[in-house]
Amino acid sequence: MDRTVVLITGCSSGIGLHLALRLASDPSQSFKVYATMRDLASQGPLLEAAQSRGCPPGSLETLQLDVRDADSIAAAQARVTEGRVDVLVCNAGRGLVGPLEAHKEGSVDAVLDVNLMGTVRMLQAFLLDMKRRRSGRILVTGSVGGLMALPFNAVYCASKFALEGLCESLAILLQPFGVHVSLIECGPVHTPFPEKLEGGLGGMLDRADAETRDLFYRYRRHCERVIREAGQDPEEVVEVSAERDCGSWAAPGLPSPARASSPPPAAAGLPPGAARPAPGPALLHYRTVPAAGAAARLRPQRLQLRRRRAPVSVPRQGGRGLRRRRGGGRSW
Ligand SMILES: NC(=O)c1ccc[n+]([C@@H]2O[C@H](COP(=O)([O-])OP(=O)(O)OC[C@H]3O[C@@H](n4cnc5c(N)ncnc54)[C@H](OP(=O)(O)O)[C@@H]3O)[C@@H](O)[C@H]2O)c1
């Protein structure tokens, strides 16, 4: 059977890691996942989680890929043994939070380079082949910060707003080529994202005036509460991508996102009308970007996805028993 080849950026943690795991452990065994990351020294948690989930041999391979470096993208692309990528997930991203005037030297460039230019580089590398084959899916991890500006996130929001325009423009052109573009516009998700903010939380706050600093401290407290009360688990987010963009249906017993469209096929083993979790205050949006002329469908679709279940445990980095493969990642 020809498996669906998926390449994901930013798999060292968070949404990318969970999506890679979700697809590599899909009961259909129909995915080959290339889980790429900036630094392969960070692959431990993913590989340990893959082991404990029982991902079948050959379902997962890690590759080094830094979206800021075109050579590293080309090198990773060359290591895709199937010679094609069916689903490209541009997920790598970096946050930048604080007053604009407090951002450290280089932080603004770095965040725009990862979030926007990194996505452009990935698309430039993979689009040609998808268009030639007249087939492919592109999934971009956007943010509600790309739909609605948030204070103290000016540059981050600028990068995510830019992704919206990028995807909308491409989607119109790509539709006749059989290439489909989707955006996952996440609200707050429980991942290490806040720990990896470019330049640290707030940046050089002493460069801001006292009133702005005070507003920032209030904003920070507010954010902590929003994340605590409305934050979603990454598994909930990746379930949407797995189903809608990768064609995988949740296995029996696993939660499945509420859908406006058809129920899951009986083939998935779910009883007809299987109980859905009670809808709650989700902030996640999913957008499948249509062709021109379908303006009504351009509106973001709000998904009610709040559910609680035991999070999948992802071991911390530095676990034992994992060996790096020379020159590349590690196959599973
Ligand atoms: N968490 C949220 O609340 C939230 C909300 C809305 C949108 N998002 C978006 O979701 C995506 C994933 O974030 P996350 O929440 O899963 O956070 P995360 O755990 O910090 O994941 C971000 C990933 O991007 C990687 N990355 C950063 N710079 C890179 C580069 N130059 N090349 C390749 N990979 C790079 C990181 O790798 P390193 O570990 O090597 O730095 C990490 O694997 C991002 O695009 C983010 O903007 C997140």
Side-chain angles (χ1 to χ4, degrees), residues 163-227:
L163 288 182
E164 298 280 323
L166 179 77
C167 291
E168 267 184 32
S169 170
L170 281 174
I172 294 165
L173 177 71
L174 293 179
Q175 203 178 52
F177 287 91
V179 180
H180 184 92
V181 181
S182 311
L183 274 155
I184 294 279
E185 291 140 338
C186 312
V189 188
H190 298 297
T191 69
F193 189 74
E195 295 147 38
K196 296 185 181 182
L197 292 173
E198 190 70 38
L201 180 64
M204 297 188 292
L205 279 173
D206 52 340
R207 289 206 342 210
D209 59 89
E211 190 178 348
T212 305
R213 277 203 303 272
D214 184 51
L215 284 168
F216 179 68
Y217 297 138
R218 284 166 56 190
Y219 163 81
R220 208 171 60 183
R221 282 195 298 278
H222 169 75
C223 271
E224 282 164 7
R225 188 166 61 79
V226 170
I227 292 170

Coordinates of all heavy atoms in Angstrom, one line a residue, residues 163-227:
L163 N 0.8 35.2 7.4 CA 0.5 33.9 6.9 C -0.9 33.7 6.3 O -1.1 32.9 5.4 CB 0.7 32.9 8.1 CG 2.1 32.6 8.6 CD1 2.1 31.6 9.7 CD2 3.0 32.1 7.4
E164 N -1.8 34.5 6.9 CA -3.2 34.4 6.4 C -3.2 34.9 4.9 O -3.8 34.2 4.1 CB -4.1 35.3 7.2 CG -4.2 34.9 8.7 CD -5.2 33.8 8.9 OE1 -6.2 33.7 8.3 OE2 -4.9 33.0 9.8
G165 N -2.5 36.0 4.7 CA -2.5 36.5 3.3 C -1.8 35.6 2.4 O -2.2 35.3 1.2
L166 N -0.7 35.0 2.9 CA 0.1 34.1 2.1 C -0.7 32.9 1.6 O -0.8 32.5 0.5 CB 1.3 33.6 2.9 CG 2.3 32.6 2.3 CD1 3.2 33.3 1.3 CD2 3.1 31.9 3.4
C167 N -1.4 32.3 2.6 CA -2.2 31.1 2.3 C -3.4 31.4 1.5 O -3.7 30.7 0.5 CB -2.7 30.5 3.6 SG -1.3 29.8 4.6
E168 N -4.1 32.6 1.7 CA -5.3 32.9 0.9 C -4.8 33.1 -0.6 O -5.5 32.6 -1.5 CB -5.9 34.2 1.4 CG -7.0 33.9 2.4 CD -7.7 35.2 2.8 OE1 -7.8 36.1 2.0 OE2 -8.2 35.2 3.9
S169 N -3.7 33.8 -0.8 CA -3.3 34.0 -2.1 C -2.9 32.7 -2.8 O -3.3 32.5 -3.9 CB -2.1 35.0 -2.1 OG -1.5 35.1 -3.3
L170 N -2.2 31.9 -2.1 CA -1.7 30.6 -2.7 C -2.9 29.7 -3.0 O -2.9 29.1 -4.1 CB -0.8 29.9 -1.8 CG 0.7 30.4 -1.7 CD1 1.4 29.7 -0.7 CD2 1.3 30.2 -3.1
A171 N -3.8 29.7 -2.1 CA -4.9 28.7 -2.2 C -5.7 28.9 -3.5 O -6.1 28.0 -4.2 CB -5.9 28.8 -1.0
I172 N -5.9 30.2 -3.9 CA -6.6 30.5 -5.1 C -5.9 29.9 -6.3 O -6.5 29.3 -7.1 CB -6.8 32.0 -5.2 CG1 -7.7 32.5 -4.1 CG2 -7.4 32.4 -6.6 CD1 -7.6 34.0 -3.9
L173 N -4.6 30.1 -6.3 CA -3.8 29.6 -7.5 C -3.7 28.1 -7.5 O -3.7 27.5 -8.5 CB -2.4 30.3 -7.4 CG -1.5 29.8 -8.5 CD1 -1.9 30.4 -9.9 CD2 -0.1 30.2 -8.2
L174 N -3.6 27.6 -6.3 CA -3.2 26.1 -6.2 C -4.4 25.2 -6.4 O -4.2 24.0 -6.7 CB -2.6 25.8 -4.8 CG -1.2 26.5 -4.6 CD1 -0.7 26.1 -3.3 CD2 -0.3 26.0 -5.7
Q175 N -5.6 25.7 -6.3 CA -6.8 24.8 -6.4 C -6.8 24.1 -7.7 O -7.0 22.9 -7.7 CB -8.1 25.6 -6.1 CG -9.1 24.6 -5.7 CD -10.5 25.3 -5.4 OE1 -11.0 26.0 -6.2 NE2 -11.0 25.0 -4.2
P176 N -6.7 24.8 -8.9 CA -6.7 24.0 -10.1 C -5.5 23.0 -10.3 O -5.6 22.1 -11.1 CB -6.6 25.1 -11.2 CG -6.2 26.3 -10.5 CD -6.6 26.2 -9.1
F177 N -4.5 23.2 -9.4 CA -3.4 22.2 -9.5 C -3.7 21.0 -8.5 O -2.8 20.2 -8.3 CB -2.1 22.9 -9.0 CG -1.5 23.8 -10.1 CD1 -1.9 25.2 -10.0 CD2 -0.6 23.4 -11.0 CE1 -1.4 26.0 -11.0 CE2 -0.1 24.2 -12.0 CZ -0.5 25.6 -12.0
G178 N -4.8 21.0 -7.9 CA -5.1 19.9 -7.0 C -4.4 20.0 -5.7 O -4.3 19.0 -4.9
V179 N -3.9 21.2 -5.3 CA -3.2 21.3 -4.1 C -4.1 22.2 -3.1 O -4.5 23.2 -3.5 CB -1.8 22.0 -4.3 CG1 -1.1 22.2 -2.9 CG2 -0.9 21.3 -5.3
H180 N -4.2 21.6 -1.9 CA -5.2 22.2 -1.0 C -4.5 22.8 0.2 O -3.6 22.2 0.7 CB -6.1 21.0 -0.6 CG -7.2 21.4 0.3 ND1 -8.4 21.6 -0.1 CD2 -7.3 21.5 1.7 CE1 -9.2 21.9 0.9 NE2 -8.5 21.9 2.0
V181 N -5.0 24.0 0.6 CA -4.3 24.7 1.7 C -5.3 24.9 2.8 O -6.4 25.2 2.7 CB -3.9 26.1 1.2 CG1 -3.2 26.9 2.3 CG2 -3.0 26.1 0.0
S182 N -4.8 24.6 4.0 CA -5.6 24.8 5.3 C -4.8 25.5 6.3 O -3.5 25.5 6.3 CB -6.0 23.5 5.9 OG -6.5 22.6 5.0
L183 N -5.5 26.2 7.1 CA -4.9 26.9 8.3 C -5.5 26.4 9.6 O -6.7 26.3 9.6 CB -5.2 28.4 8.2 CG -4.2 29.3 7.3 CD1 -5.0 30.5 6.8 CD2 -3.0 29.7 8.1
I184 N -4.7 26.1 10.5 CA -5.2 25.8 11.8 C -4.8 27.1 12.7 O -3.7 27.4 12.8 CB -4.5 24.6 12.5 CG1 -4.8 23.3 11.7 CG2 -4.8 24.5 13.9 CD1 -6.1 22.7 12.0
E185 N -5.9 27.7 13.1 CA -5.7 29.0 13.8 C -5.9 28.7 15.3 O -7.0 28.8 15.8 CB -6.6 30.1 13.2 CG -6.2 30.5 11.8 CD -7.4 30.7 10.9 OE1 -8.5 30.1 11.2 OE2 -7.2 31.4 9.9
C186 N -4.8 28.4 16.0 CA -5.0 28.0 17.4 C -5.2 29.2 18.3 O -4.6 30.2 18.1 CB -3.7 27.3 17.8 SG -3.1 26.1 16.7
G187 N -6.0 28.9 19.3 CA -6.0 29.8 20.5 C -4.9 29.3 21.4 O -4.0 28.7 20.9
P188 N -5.0 29.6 22.7 CA -3.9 29.1 23.6 C -3.9 27.6 23.7 O -4.9 27.0 23.8 CB -4.3 29.7 24.9 CG -5.7 30.2 24.8 CD -6.0 30.4 23.4
V189 N -2.7 27.0 23.5 CA -2.5 25.6 23.6 C -1.4 25.3 24.6 O -0.4 26.0 24.7 CB -2.1 25.0 22.2 CG1 -2.1 23.5 22.2 CG2 -3.0 25.5 21.1
H190 N -1.6 24.3 25.4 CA -0.6 24.0 26.4 C 0.6 23.3 25.8 O 0.6 22.1 25.5 CB -1.2 23.0 27.5 CG -2.4 23.7 28.2 ND1 -2.2 24.8 29.0 CD2 -3.7 23.3 28.3 CE1 -3.4 25.1 29.5 NE2 -4.3 24.3 29.1
T191 N 1.6 24.1 25.5 CA 2.8 23.6 24.9 C 4.0 24.4 25.5 O 3.7 25.4 26.2 CB 2.9 23.8 23.4 OG1 3.0 25.2 23.1 CG2 1.7 23.3 22.7
P192 N 5.2 24.0 25.2 CA 6.4 24.8 25.8 C 6.5 26.2 25.1 O 7.5 26.8 25.3 CB 7.6 23.9 25.5 CG 7.1 22.6 25.2 CD 5.7 22.7 24.6
F193 N 5.6 26.5 24.2 CA 5.7 27.8 23.5 C 6.1 29.0 24.3 O 7.1 29.7 24.0 CB 4.4 28.0 22.8 CG 4.3 29.1 21.8 CD1 4.9 29.0 20.5 CD2 3.7 30.3 22.1 CE1 4.9 30.1 19.6 CE2 3.6 31.4 21.2 CZ 4.3 31.2 20.0
P194 N 5.5 29.2 25.5 CA 5.8 30.4 26.3 C 7.2 30.3 26.9 O 7.9 31.3 27.1 CB 4.8 30.4 27.5 CG 3.7 29.4 27.1 CD 4.3 28.4 26.1
E195 N 7.8 29.1 27.0 CA 9.1 29.0 27.6 C 10.2 29.3 26.5 O 11.3 29.4 26.8 CB 9.4 27.5 28.1 CG 8.5 27.2 29.3 CD 8.1 25.7 29.3 OE1 9.0 24.9 28.9 OE2 7.0 25.4 29.6
K196 N 9.7 29.2 25.2 CA 10.7 29.4 24.1 C 10.6 30.7 23.4 O 11.0 30.9 22.3 CB 10.5 28.3 23.1 CG 10.7 26.9 23.6 CD 10.6 25.8 22.5 CE 10.9 24.4 23.0 NZ 10.8 23.4 21.9
L197 N 9.9 31.7 24.1 CA 9.7 33.0 23.5 C 11.1 33.6 23.1 O 12.0 33.5 23.9 CB 9.0 33.9 24.4 CG 7.6 33.6 24.8 CD1 7.1 34.5 25.9 CD2 6.7 33.7 23.5
E198 N 11.1 34.2 21.9 CA 12.3 34.9 21.5 C 12.7 36.0 22.5 O 11.8 36.8 22.7 CB 12.1 35.4 20.1 CG 13.3 35.9 19.4 CD 14.3 34.8 19.0 OE1 13.9 33.7 18.6 OE2 15.5 35.1 19.1
G199 N 13.9 36.0 23.0 CA 14.3 37.1 23.9 C 13.7 37.0 25.3 O 13.8 38.0 26.0
G200 N 13.0 35.9 25.6 CA 12.3 35.8 26.9 C 11.1 36.7 27.0 O 10.8 37.5 26.2
L201 N 10.3 36.4 28.1 CA 9.0 37.1 28.3 C 9.2 38.6 28.5 O 9.9 39.0 29.5 CB 8.3 36.5 29.4 CG 6.9 37.1 29.7 CD1 5.9 36.9 28.6 CD2 6.3 36.5 31.0
G202 N 8.7 39.4 27.7 CA 8.8 40.9 27.9 C 10.0 41.5 27.2 O 9.9 42.7 26.9
G203 N 11.1 40.8 27.1 CA 12.3 41.4 26.5 C 13.0 42.4 27.5 O 13.0 42.1 28.7
M204 N 13.5 43.5 27.0 CA 14.2 44.4 27.9 C 13.2 45.5 28.4 O 13.2 46.6 27.9 CB 15.4 45.1 27.1 CG 16.4 44.0 26.6 SD 17.8 44.7 25.9 CE 17.2 45.4 24.4
L205 N 12.5 45.1 29.4 CA 11.4 45.9 29.9 C 11.9 47.2 30.5 O 11.1 48.2 30.5 CB 10.6 45.1 31.0 CG 9.6 44.1 30.5 CD1 9.0 43.3 31.6 CD2 8.5 44.8 29.7
D206 N 13.1 47.3 30.9 CA 13.6 48.6 31.4 C 13.6 49.7 30.3 O 13.8 50.9 30.6 CB 14.9 48.5 32.1 CG 16.0 47.8 31.3 OD1 15.5 47.1 30.3 OD2 17.2 47.9 31.5
R207 N 13.5 49.2 29.0 CA 13.5 50.2 27.9 C 12.1 50.8 27.7 O 12.0 51.8 27.0 CB 14.0 49.5 26.6 CG 15.5 49.2 26.7 CD 16.2 49.1 25.5 NE 15.6 48.9 24.2 CZ 16.2 48.3 23.2 NH1 17.4 47.8 23.3 NH2 15.6 48.2 22.0
A208 N 11.1 50.2 28.4 CA 9.8 50.7 28.2 C 9.5 51.7 29.4 O 10.1 51.6 30.4 CB 8.8 49.6 28.2
D209 N 8.5 52.6 29.2 CA 8.1 53.6 30.2 C 7.3 52.8 31.3 O 6.8 51.7 31.1 CB 7.3 54.7 29.6 CG 6.0 54.2 29.0 OD1 5.0 54.1 29.7 OD2 6.1 53.9 27.8
A210 N 7.2 53.5 32.5 CA 6.5 52.8 33.6 C 5.1 52.5 33.3 O 4.6 51.4 33.7 CB 6.6 53.8 34.8
E211 N 4.4 53.3 32.6 CA 3.0 53.0 32.4 C 2.8 51.8 31.5 O 2.0 50.9 31.7 CB 2.3 54.2 31.7 CG 0.8 54.1 31.6 CD 0.2 55.4 30.9 OE1 0.9 56.4 30.8 OE2 -1.0 55.3 30.6
T212 N 3.7 51.7 30.4 CA 3.6 50.5 29.6 C 4.0 49.3 30.3 O 3.4 48.2 30.2 CB 4.6 50.7 28.4 OG1 4.3 51.9 27.7 CG2 4.5 49.6 27.4
R213 N 5.0 49.4 31.2 CA 5.4 48.2 32.0 C 4.3 47.7 32.8 O 4.0 46.5 32.9 CB 6.6 48.6 32.9 CG 7.9 48.5 32.2 CD 9.1 48.3 33.2 NE 9.1 49.4 34.2 CZ 9.8 50.5 34.1 NH1 10.5 50.7 32.9 NH2 9.8 51.4 35.0
D214 N 3.6 48.7 33.4 CA 2.4 48.3 34.3 C 1.4 47.6 33.5 O 0.8 46.6 33.9 CB 1.9 49.6 35.0 CG 0.8 49.2 35.9 OD1 1.0 48.4 36.8 OD2 -0.3 49.8 35.8
L215 N 1.1 48.2 32.3 CA 0.1 47.5 31.4 C 0.6 46.1 31.1 O -0.2 45.2 31.0 CB -0.1 48.3 30.1 CG -1.0 49.6 30.3 CD1 -0.8 50.5 29.1 CD2 -2.4 49.2 30.6
F216 N 1.8 46.0 30.8 CA 2.4 44.6 30.5 C 2.2 43.6 31.6 O 1.8 42.5 31.4 CB 3.8 44.7 30.0 CG 4.4 43.4 29.7 CD1 4.0 42.8 28.5 CD2 5.3 42.8 30.5 CE1 4.5 41.5 28.2 CE2 5.8 41.5 30.2 CZ 5.4 40.9 29.0
Y217 N 2.5 44.1 32.8 CA 2.3 43.1 34.0 C 0.8 42.7 34.1 O 0.6 41.6 34.4 CB 2.8 43.8 35.3 CG 4.3 44.1 35.2 CD1 4.8 45.3 35.8 CD2 5.2 43.2 34.7 CE1 6.1 45.6 35.7 CE2 6.5 43.5 34.7 CZ 7.0 44.7 35.2 OH 8.3 45.0 35.1
R218 N -0.1 43.7 33.9 CA -1.5 43.3 33.9 C -1.9 42.4 32.8 O -2.6 41.4 33.0 CB -2.4 44.6 33.8 CG -2.3 45.3 35.2 CD -2.9 46.7 35.0 NE -4.2 46.8 34.5 CZ -4.8 47.9 34.1 NH1 -4.2 49.1 34.2 NH2 -6.0 47.9 33.6
Y219 N -1.3 42.6 31.6 CA -1.6 41.7 30.5 C -1.1 40.3 30.8 O -1.7 39.3 30.5 CB -0.9 42.3 29.2 CG -0.7 41.3 28.1 CD1 -1.8 41.0 27.3 CD2 0.4 40.6 27.9 CE1 -1.7 40.1 26.3 CE2 0.6 39.7 26.9 CZ -0.5 39.4 26.1 OH -0.4 38.5 25.1
R220 N 0.1 40.3 31.4 CA 0.7 39.0 31.7 C -0.2 38.1 32.6 O -0.4 37.0 32.4 CB 2.1 39.2 32.4 CG 3.0 38.1 32.1 CD 4.4 38.5 32.6 NE 4.4 38.8 34.0 CZ 5.5 39.2 34.7 NH1 6.6 39.4 34.0 NH2 5.4 39.4 35.9
R221 N -0.7 38.8 33.7 CA -1.6 38.1 34.6 C -2.9 37.7 33.9 O -3.4 36.5 34.1 CB -2.0 39.1 35.8 CG -0.9 39.2 36.8 CD -1.4 39.8 38.1 NE -1.9 41.1 37.9 CZ -1.1 42.2 37.9 NH1 0.2 42.1 38.1 NH2 -1.7 43.4 37.8
H222 N -3.4 38.5 33.0 CA -4.6 38.2 32.2 C -4.3 36.9 31.4 O -5.1 36.0 31.3 CB -5.0 39.4 31.4 CG -6.1 39.1 30.4 ND1 -7.4 38.9 30.8 CD2 -6.0 38.9 29.0 CE1 -8.1 38.6 29.7 NE2 -7.3 38.6 28.6
C223 N -3.2 37.0 30.7 CA -2.8 35.8 29.8 C -2.7 34.5 30.6 O -3.2 33.5 30.1 CB -1.5 36.1 29.2 SG -1.6 37.0 27.7
E224 N -2.1 34.6 31.8 CA -1.9 33.4 32.6 C -3.3 32.8 32.9 O -3.5 31.6 32.8 CB -1.2 33.7 33.9 CG 0.3 33.9 33.7 CD 1.0 34.6 34.8 OE1 0.3 34.8 35.9 OE2 2.2 34.8 34.7
R225 N -4.3 33.7 33.1 CA -5.6 33.2 33.5 C -6.3 32.6 32.2 O -6.9 31.5 32.3 CB -6.5 34.3 34.0 CG -7.8 33.9 34.5 CD -8.5 34.9 35.4 NE -8.7 36.2 34.6 CZ -9.8 36.3 33.8 NH1 -10.6 35.4 33.6 NH2 -9.9 37.5 33.1
V226 N -6.1 33.3 31.1 CA -6.7 32.8 29.8 C -6.2 31.4 29.5 O -6.9 30.5 29.1 CB -6.5 33.8 28.7 CG1 -6.9 33.2 27.3 CG2 -7.3 35.1 28.9
I227 N -4.8 31.3 29.6 CA -4.2 30.0 29.2 C -4.7 28.9 30.2 O -5.0 27.8 29.8 CB -2.7 30.1 29.3 CG1 -2.2 31.0 28.1 CG2 -2.0 28.7 29.2 CD1 -0.7 31.4 28.2

